[in-house]
Amino acid sequence: MDVIVADDRAELVEARQALGVGEGGSTLALVPTMGALHEGHRSLMRLAREHADHVAVSIFVNPLQFGPGEDYARYPRTFEADLEVCAAEGVGVVFAPAAEEMYLPDRQVTVSAGPMGTVAEGAFRPGHFDGVLTVVLKLFNLVRPDAAVFGRKDAQQLALIRRMVADLDVPVSVVGAPTIREADGLALSSRNRYLSPEDRTVALALSRALFAGAQEGTPAEIRRAARAVLDAEPEADVDYLILADPATFAEVGDDHGGEAILAVAARVGTTRLIDNVVLTLG
Ligand code: AMP
């Protein structure tokens, strides 16, 4: 069956009916995206199919999660190619609303991400996670999925979505998906298409730093090894390198045991990139 494109709320209701979602226990999994779809997004769609009878993909470049001076206007928009990707992956419905469809002109209420929204990535992008959680909650309410799939590439985002679902009793089961990388280690990202060939070489320092850190044992050694790789690539303008508690995104102490997330954000040329790996300590 062809993928159904829904631009507004009414079309979304029709699409759910056409697919038979909810009938005889038929379930729906949502993959929220901002489009410019790549192999990472495709892996999320495949995982979504394992968790539900039908898959919905939303394509929406959310103005609320971009700060002033960020790349909202120039964010890549490749809708026709994205539709082909969704069709090839057996997606049932693509929800692609305009910003005016999503946000009322007199809107006032937003989701507050709380303390985890202000550290790490949140410290460099004030308000970003409030914008993310607001749009994700709206997408959940509009699409009404049983499950939703998010990439661990955006680890803090995934942690905050799990937090929101728990704290606000949102009836959606959240599924985390592994990070898909190029053969040389670069994590796939819609923003990679901004990178010049020289930038792309510089960008490899991020994953190299994470993999170097992952070879070490203690928090101090992990941080030192990762930092050394970044220091050797001065063209990568590092915003942060943290070894964080996955539940809070605060830096872990030297005696931390269990899971920790080694995360990096850096600007390469005009492009800001993030990446992370999950480590088990002690
Ligand atoms: P975006 O379109 O960048 O907002 O991403 C949409 C979803 O795809 C998010 O849940 C991301 O975490 C996920 N994603 C982006 N890049 C990757 C990747 N390289 N591997 C796995 N998931 C990814």
Side-chain angles (χ1 to χ4, degrees):
M1 198 165 97
D2 282 348
V3 54
I4 303 170
V5 179
D7 296 327
D8 59 32
R9 292 163 157 76
E11 287 176 5
L12 199 49
V13 172
E14 282 171 25
R16 282 180 54 99
Q17 278 166 358
L19 293 172
V21 174
E23 288 167 24
S26 174
T27 56
L28 182 67
L30 172 66
V31 180
T33 80
M34 298 204 299
L37 301 179
H38 51 64
E39 206 49 48
H41 298 114
R42 292 180 94 124
S43 74
L44 268 51
M45 295 173 204
R46 287 179 208 136
L47 191 55
R49 291 181 68 181
E50 292 173 22
H51 285 266
D53 302 308
H54 301 282
V55 176
V57 169
S58 60
I59 298 179
F60 180 62
V61 185
N62 174 31
L64 234 58
Q65 70 189 70
F66 288 79
E70 292 187 357
D71 58 347
Y72 176 68
R74 72 162 188 151
Y75 195 85
R77 288 159 170 91
T78 60
F79 188 65
E80 292 307 320
D82 291 349
L83 276 189
E84 281 176 27
V85 168
C86 291
E89 293 298 337
V91 169
V93 52
V94 169
F95 180 49
E100 302 74 46
E101 176 67 21
M102 281 301 273
Y103 294 115
L104 299 171
D106 59 346
R107 66 182 179 81
Q108 295 189 19
V109 176
T110 53
V111 179
S112 168
M116 207 199 322
T118 63
V119 295
E121 187 71 1
F124 287 86
R125 303 187 71 186
H128 169 69
F129 287 119
D130 293 359
V132 169
L133 294 185
T134 300
V135 82
V136 167
L137 187 59
K138 284 171 69 73
L139 289 168
F140 285 178
N141 287 336
L142 290 166
V143 178
R144 294 193 286 127
D146 301 278
V149 183
F150 296 88
R152 296 200 193 103
K153 157 86 167 34
D154 298 278
Q156 194 172 0
Q157 167 176 290
L158 174 59
L160 276 161
I161 288 163
R162 289 194 192 283
R163 194 69 259 164
M164 173 175 78
V165 162
D167 288 347
L168 303 184
D169 300 304
V170 182
V172 174
S173 90
V174 174
V175 179
T179 299
I180 305 298
R181 301 177 179 280
E182 306 274 12
D184 59 9
L186 183 70
L188 295 193
S189 164
S190 302
R191 291 186 168 100
N192 289 352
R193 64 187 75 201
Y194 302 148
L195 298 171
S196 69
E198 296 77 26
D199 289 344
R200 205 191 164 290
T201 307
V202 173
L204 287 174
L206 277 77
S207 53
R208 248 194 349 261
L210 300 178
F211 299 155
Q215 302 294 315
E216 304 294 330
T218 69
E221 288 165 353
I222 292 165
R223 291 189 177 102
R224 198 177 315 118
R227 176 61 67 182
V229 174
L230 295 172
D231 286 348
E233 185 47 272
E235 297 294 316
D237 187 0
V238 177
D239 275 350
Y240 61 82
L241 169 74
I242 54 163
L243 185 63
D245 184 323
T248 61
F249 268 78
E251 289 272 11
V252 300
D254 283 340
D255 55 353
H256 181 85
E259 274 201 352
I261 295 185
L262 184 60
V264 63
R267 270 156 297 123
V268 176
T270 57
T271 308
R272 190 170 178 284
L273 300 173
I274 62 171
D275 198 356
N276 71 85
V277 290
V278 182
L279 310 178
T280 306
L281 304 184

